C-alpha cells in the first residue's frame, strides 16, 4: 500500500493538538508523542516502534506502566486500562501469523511513524460490551513488513511542524 498523504485539515488539526496543554490532548496524540519520545529519553525497552513504523510494541509491561502510562499518557499505571484504550481507538493487536517479531504489536492504518497529522483520521470504535473478544483471523492481518517503511515518509509530515514545536511541551 502506498503512503497516505495528510490533508491541510489533518495538518491544522495536528498543530492545534500540539498547542493544547498535554493533559488536554487526545489519547492517540499522547501515545504517538510518547513513542517518539521513547527514542529520545531511552525507554525503547518499554515501548517502541516496529522497524517499518506501521506498528508499535510494548516490550516490557512493567516498565511501560511506570515509564509511560503516568508521565506521558496521564493514566493510572494499570495495563488493562491501556489495552481498553487501544481497543477504543481501533489499535489492533497482531498475532504471530506474520512472524514472531510482529506478534503482540499494535497497529492502525492512521497510526504511522512520521505521519502524526494522520491521527486526525482515527475514529473511536464502539464495543459491544460482551466482554468476549472476537476470534482473531490471522489471514486478514496485514503484512506490515512487506509495505514501504514509514521512516521514508517523515519529511512530508514535518513540512509545517518544527521539531522544537513537537517536543517542547512533553514532560521532562
Amino acid at each position: 500500500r502506498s503512503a497516505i498523504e495528510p490533508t491541510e485539515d489533518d495538518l491544522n488539526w495536528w498543530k492545534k493538538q500540539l498547542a493544547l496543554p498535554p493533559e488536554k490532548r487526545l489519547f492517540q496524540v499522547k501515545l504517538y508523542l510518547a513513542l517518539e519520545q521513547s527514542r529520545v529519553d531511552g525507554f525503547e525497552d518499554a515501548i517502541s516502534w516496529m522497524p517499518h513504523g506501521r506498528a508499535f510494541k510494548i516490550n516490557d509491561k512493567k516498565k511501560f506502566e511506570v515509564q509511560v502510562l503516568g508521565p506521558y499518557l496521564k493514566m493510572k499505571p494499570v495495563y488493562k486500562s491501556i489495552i481498553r484504550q487501544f481497543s477504543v481507538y481501533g489499535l489492533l493487536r497482531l498475532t504471530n501469523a506474520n512472524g514472531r517479531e510482529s506478534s503482540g504489536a499494535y497497529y492502525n492504518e492512521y497510526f504511522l511513524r512520521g505521519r502524526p497529522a494522520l491521527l486526525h483520521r482515527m475514529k473511536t470504535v464502539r464495543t459491544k460490551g460482551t466482554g468476549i473478544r472476537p476470534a482473531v483471523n490471522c489471514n486478514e492481518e496485514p503484512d506490515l513488513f512487506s509495505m514501504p517503511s514509514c521512516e521514508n515518509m517523515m519529511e512530508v509530515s514535518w513540512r509545517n511542524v518544527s521539531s522544537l514545536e513537537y517536543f517542547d511541551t512533553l514532560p521532562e
Side-chain angles (χ1 to χ4, degrees):
R1 190 171 183 178
S2 63
I4 302 170
E5 288 296 325
T7 64
E8 265 322 295
D9 189 41
D10 294 333
L11 293 166
N12 289 332
W13 175 88
W14 177 244
K15 286 182 190 178
K16 286 178 184 174
Q17 284 292 309
L18 290 177
L20 293 172
E23 64 276 2
K24 301 264 187 192
R25 293 175 181 157
L26 295 176
F27 170 78
Q28 68 266 38
V29 172
K30 293 177 189 177
L31 179 62
Y32 183 90
L33 291 172
L35 272 158
E36 288 300 306
Q37 198 67 17
S38 71
R39 292 196 265 186
V40 176
D41 288 351
F43 56 88
E44 284 183 295
D45 55 338
I47 186 172
S48 61
W49 288 106
M50 296 297 292
H52 46 65
R54 294 179 175 276
F56 66 91
K57 194 170 190 176
I58 296 171
N59 302 312
D60 185 316
K61 189 163 80 169
K62 288 292 177 201
K63 285 183 180 180
F64 175 76
E65 288 177 340
V66 172
Q67 295 176 331
V68 180
L69 281 182
Y72 291 93
L73 301 179
K74 308 296 185 215
M75 295 177 71
K76 292 180 181 175
V78 179
Y79 189 72
K80 286 183 180 181
S81 296
I82 195 74
I83 301 306
R84 275 193 296 276
Q85 285 291 97
F86 289 173
S87 184
V88 166
Y89 281 89
L91 289 159
L92 304 173
R93 188 170 188 215
L94 292 166
T95 65
N96 63 359
N98 290 317
R100 290 172 49 168
E101 188 175 3
S102 293
S103 181
Y106 292 89
Y107 75 99
N108 179 295
E109 67 179 315
Y110 301 119
F111 198 90
L112 304 171
R113 181 177 55 205
R115 311 289 283 187
L118 294 178
L119 298 172
H120 180 227
R121 300 183 194 183
M122 289 179 74
K123 304 293 179 212
T124 55
V125 179
R126 290 182 182 235
T127 57
K128 294 182 182 175
T130 61
I132 301 169
R133 283 190 216 170
V136 175
N137 184 349
C138 58
N139 295 326
E140 293 178 7
E141 288 183 357
D143 181 3
L144 301 176
F145 282 97
S146 70
M147 297 177 186
S149 172
C150 291
E151 199 68 57
N152 299 330
M153 295 188 248
M154 288 187 74
E155 189 175 317
V156 173
S157 62
W158 293 116
R159 67 180 152 205
N160 293 319
V161 181
S162 74
S163 60
L164 288 176
E165 250 184 310
Y166 186 72
F167 291 114
D168 66 353
T169 57
L170 287 175
E172 294 181 13

